């Protein structure tokens, strides 16, 4: 069975600095999808970024980028120029190519210091 | 921008009562999902629904749970006889025309069972 591990329960960063959130996963599959979702205090789960495993190029969305290392089964999220609005829980999630469910990590709470 | 909506935002019920949680997925989406997040725990998949039938369900989704798309816009989760351990945040999600499309989440319903 697939598992997702986020080893950092909490991270803090100074506003305007860069922070990297870690995620590792375990799977025997070769085709899958990886996601980072953000959950602010409002509790809504918001998609940050998505990566297809067959793509070697790392996904980027404005200030958010990932470092996808397929062989190491690592999928870290880098947030550049951190802003106060980035403060939230960040969840890493895995989805197999062949089924529907998202498998979630435990989350990392990101604190932005002004 | 289209979004998934859920009602109510907070539901309080007595143990043994039936509850129905409601969701309005994004209008052109075809795949619908329910997840739950017990406080302090990982997000867990419950069920996926496509073409008016369940396409996948987890072990959590036992006979106490059911889902329905009663009309062209709503997607509901019913818990027949609530237990204390059903207290959680319940998230509805939807995705587009293919099963591999990204899942977009609603703001959640906080269910409290007393």
């Amino acid at each position: 069975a697939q598992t997702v591990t986020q080893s950092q329960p909490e991270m803090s960063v100074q506003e305007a600095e860069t922070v990297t959130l870690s995620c590792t996963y375990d799977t025997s599959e070769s085709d899958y999808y990886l996601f980072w979702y953000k959950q602010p205090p409002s509790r809504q789960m918001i998609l940050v970024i998505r990566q297809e495993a067959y793509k070697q190029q790392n996904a980027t969305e404005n200030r958010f980028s990932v470092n996808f290392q397929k062989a190491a089964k690592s999928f870290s999220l880098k947030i550049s120029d951190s802003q106060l609005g980035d403060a939230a829980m960040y969840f890493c999630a895995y989805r197999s190519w062949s089924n529907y469910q998202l498998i979630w990590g435990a989350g990392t709470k990101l604190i932005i210091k002004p | 921008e289209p979004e998934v909506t859920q009602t109510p935002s907070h539901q309080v019920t007595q143990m043994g009562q039936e509850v129905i949680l409601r969701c309005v997925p994004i209008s052109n989406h075809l795949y619908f999902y329910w997840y739950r997040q017990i406080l302090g725990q990982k997000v867990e998949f419950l069920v996926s629904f496509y073409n008016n039938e369940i396409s996948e369900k987890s072990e959590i989704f036992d006979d106490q749970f059911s889902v329905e798309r009663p009309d062209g816009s709503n997607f509901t989760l019913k818990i027949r006889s609530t237990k204390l351990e059903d207290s959680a945040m319940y998230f509805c999600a939807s995705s587009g025309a293919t099963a591999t499309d990204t899942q977009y989440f609603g703001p959640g319903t906080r269910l409290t069972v007393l």
Side-chain angles (χ1 to χ4, degrees):
Chain A
Q2 296 89 3
T3 58
V4 177
T5 302
Q6 292 178 252
S7 58
Q8 306 153 317
E10 187 174 296
M11 291 281 285
S12 62
V13 64
Q14 207 71 35
E15 193 177 2
E17 297 293 307
T18 295
V19 63
T20 298
L21 309 183
S22 301
C23 173
T24 58
Y25 57 94
D26 189 29
T27 185
S28 58
E29 299 177 323
S30 56
D31 289 328
Y32 49 86
Y33 304 87
L34 294 164
F35 304 85
W36 279 98
Y37 282 89
K38 167 185 175 181
Q39 188 182 41
S42 65
R43 305 292 294 177
Q44 180 147 14
M45 208 69 79
I46 302 166
L47 176 70
V48 175
I49 203 163
R50 162 187 166 129
Q51 175 81 42
E52 288 84 358
Y54 63 84
K55 290 185 178 177
Q56 293 192 347
Q57 187 171 6
N58 289 325
T60 61
E61 285 289 339
N62 301 313
R63 297 183 294 107
F64 299 87
S65 61
V66 297
N67 183 5
F68 173 49
Q69 301 288 328
K70 190 173 184 180
K73 297 178 183 174
S74 170
F75 182 61
S76 59
L77 175 70
K78 185 172 86 171
I79 306 173
S80 304
D81 185 25
S82 299
Q83 300 175 1
L84 294 178
D86 295 334
M89 284 291 288
Y90 285 81
F91 291 94
C92 178
Y94 169 101
R95 186 196 154 159
S96 167
W97 178 84
S98 58
N99 59 31
Y100 303 97
Q101 62 176 287
L102 290 171
I103 298 168
W104 299 78
T108 296
K109 182 178 182 180
L110 179 64
I111 298 167
I112 310 294
K113 298 177 184 175
Chain B
E1 185 174 327
E3 57 183 24
V4 178
T5 59
Q6 290 185 242
T7 53
S9 57
H10 190 190
Q11 174 94 46
V12 181
T13 189
Q14 295 291 325
M15 190 169 55
Q17 295 297 303
E18 173 183 289
V19 294
I20 297 176
L21 309 182
R22 291 183 166 80
C23 168
V24 178
I26 293 172
S27 63
N28 61 347
H29 283 187
L30 301 178
Y31 293 82
F32 314 115
Y33 312 85
W34 284 101
Y35 292 81
R36 79 174 184 190
Q37 185 181 27
I38 295 172
L39 190 63
Q41 297 186 22
K42 288 186 177 184
V43 177
E44 302 170 292
F45 169 79
L46 294 178
V47 66
S48 61
F49 191 85
Y50 170 72
N51 199 25
N52 281 321
E53 60 183 29
I54 291 173
S55 45
E56 191 177 352
K57 62 181 181 179
S58 70
E59 292 176 356
I60 303 167
F61 195 87
D62 60 22
D63 291 344
Q64 291 298 310
F65 292 90
S66 63
V67 289
E68 191 179 30
R69 187 154 164 82
D71 53 42
S73 59
N74 290 284
F75 179 53
T76 61
L77 174 70
K78 182 193 290 186
I79 309 175
R80 268 180 257 286
S81 177
T82 50
K83 307 182 185 72
L84 294 176
E85 54 265 37
D86 293 327
S87 293
M89 196 77 168
Y90 287 81
F91 291 102
C92 174
S94 68
S95 63
T98 70
T100 56
D101 282 2
T102 296
Q103 295 176 26
Y104 293 91
F105 285 77
T109 292
R110 179 171 299 284
L111 177 65
T112 302
V113 182
L114 302 176

